[in-house]
Amino acid sequence: LTFSIHEPLSGTMFIFLHGRLCQVKEAIPDIFYRISLNPAMIRRKIIKISQVEPYDLAEDGTMKKMTTKGHYGTRLMVHLARHYARDAKPVSIKTIAQDEQLSLQYLQQMTIPLKHHHLIKSSCGARGGHTLARKPSDISVFEILSALEGSCALVECVDDASFCDKRNDCVLYDIWKGASDLLKDYFGRVTLQDILDITDKKTARARRKSSPR
């Protein structure tokens, strides 16, 4: 069994069971957190299969989407990129949360994987905060999403050969791999500097439209 925790803002509890997202019917949060730290506890039958039911990710007619971690985390990085272009001084997470109108606690959680993947640096003290670890032109969107979301692969077998023993014979594997490679290539070519340039162009265009003729 593969096991991990997903807890949306609504408070609904989910688990990944046999590679499928399942909604929990009878949730005891403490048990789930203990299991997430020690998957071996599943074998002691702390949770039973009867306690979960499959949850259809596409029941609203849409494909799997990027989570708020990737979306808001990229906004955090773009914010730091703007400051880096000005003076490269540290920016407090509180300032970023206020400017971007995002949860302070949520952004604080995102800084952990970003630091772990050497995308940002942190400093303590009254003037402490966060800065980019490299120039905006040297950080790609792919690096950010990989740090926050994990793999960009559309299906697990693309990045994990052990996930399915039919991969070599599967007629769909090449399709999923090709589409996943397109995503990786696109996100790998777009840098934070590219996003800043696009922002500048949009801002200039908006000013021209609003200026009296």
Side-chain angles (χ1 to χ4, degrees):
L1 298 176
T2 57
F3 213 91
S4 61
I5 302 300
H6 175 63
E7 191 173 5
L9 296 178
S10 63
T12 306
M13 296 293 295
F14 294 84
I15 63 172
F16 278 101
L17 186 65
H18 291 302
R20 296 190 67 184
L21 186 67
C22 298
Q23 186 172 8
V24 177
K25 294 179 180 178
E26 302 169 25
I28 305 176
D30 182 56
I31 287 180
F32 286 101
Y33 285 116
R34 281 157 51 201
I35 291 177
S36 69
L37 294 174
N38 184 6
M41 296 181 74
I42 300 170
R43 291 194 289 271
R44 294 186 227 163
K45 297 182 179 179
I46 287 179
I47 181 169
K48 299 178 181 178
I49 302 301
S50 62
Q51 289 178 292
V52 300
E53 61 182 359
Y55 181 79
D56 184 8
L57 283 174
E59 64 182 5
D60 63 349
T62 62
M63 289 182 65
K64 179 181 178 181
K65 297 179 181 179
M66 182 191 305
T67 70
T68 52
K69 286 190 297 184
H71 184 192
Y72 295 168
T74 303
R75 285 173 59 181
L76 184 157
M77 292 294 287
V78 172
H79 193 104
L80 291 179
R82 283 198 294 266
H83 282 269
Y84 188 98
R86 295 171 192 161
D87 52 25
K89 291 182 179 179
V91 186
S92 72
I93 201 70
K94 182 177 181 180
T95 297
I96 299 174
Q98 291 174 341
D99 291 348
E100 298 292 334
Q101 297 184 329
L102 297 174
S103 165
L104 173 62
Q105 291 76 17
Y106 199 30
L107 290 182
Q108 286 175 328
Q109 294 175 16
M110 291 182 204
T111 61
I112 298 173
L114 291 172
K115 283 191 288 186
H116 177 74
H117 286 81
H118 309 292
L119 296 175
I120 65 174
K121 298 184 294 186
S122 302
S123 57
C124 301
R127 297 185 179 181
H130 304 281
T131 59
L132 295 183
R134 306 194 299 272
K135 296 185 297 183
S137 58
D138 291 338
I139 298 177
S140 70
V141 173
F142 177 73
E143 290 180 277
I144 299 169
L145 295 181
S146 295
L148 297 169
E149 296 274 4
S151 171
C152 286
L154 295 178
V155 291
E156 291 87 346
C157 62
V158 170
D159 284 342
D160 184 1
S162 65
F163 184 81
C164 178
D165 57 6
K166 297 181 176 63
R167 191 174 84 156
N168 292 336
D169 301 320
C170 178
V171 295
L172 291 177
Y173 169 74
D174 290 342
I175 305 299
W176 307 141
K177 185 178 185 304
S180 299
D181 288 345
L182 286 173
L183 274 178
K184 293 177 183 178
D185 179 65
Y186 176 75
F187 289 138
R189 286 186 285 108
V190 179
T191 68
L192 288 175
Q193 185 59 55
D194 293 327
I195 297 176
L196 294 181
D197 294 341
I198 293 172
T199 302
D200 290 342
K201 290 179 181 178
K202 283 192 171 184
T203 301
R205 191 182 307 129
R207 287 174 178 170
R208 286 197 298 270
K209 287 183 177 180
S210 61
S211 61
R213 296 182 179 179

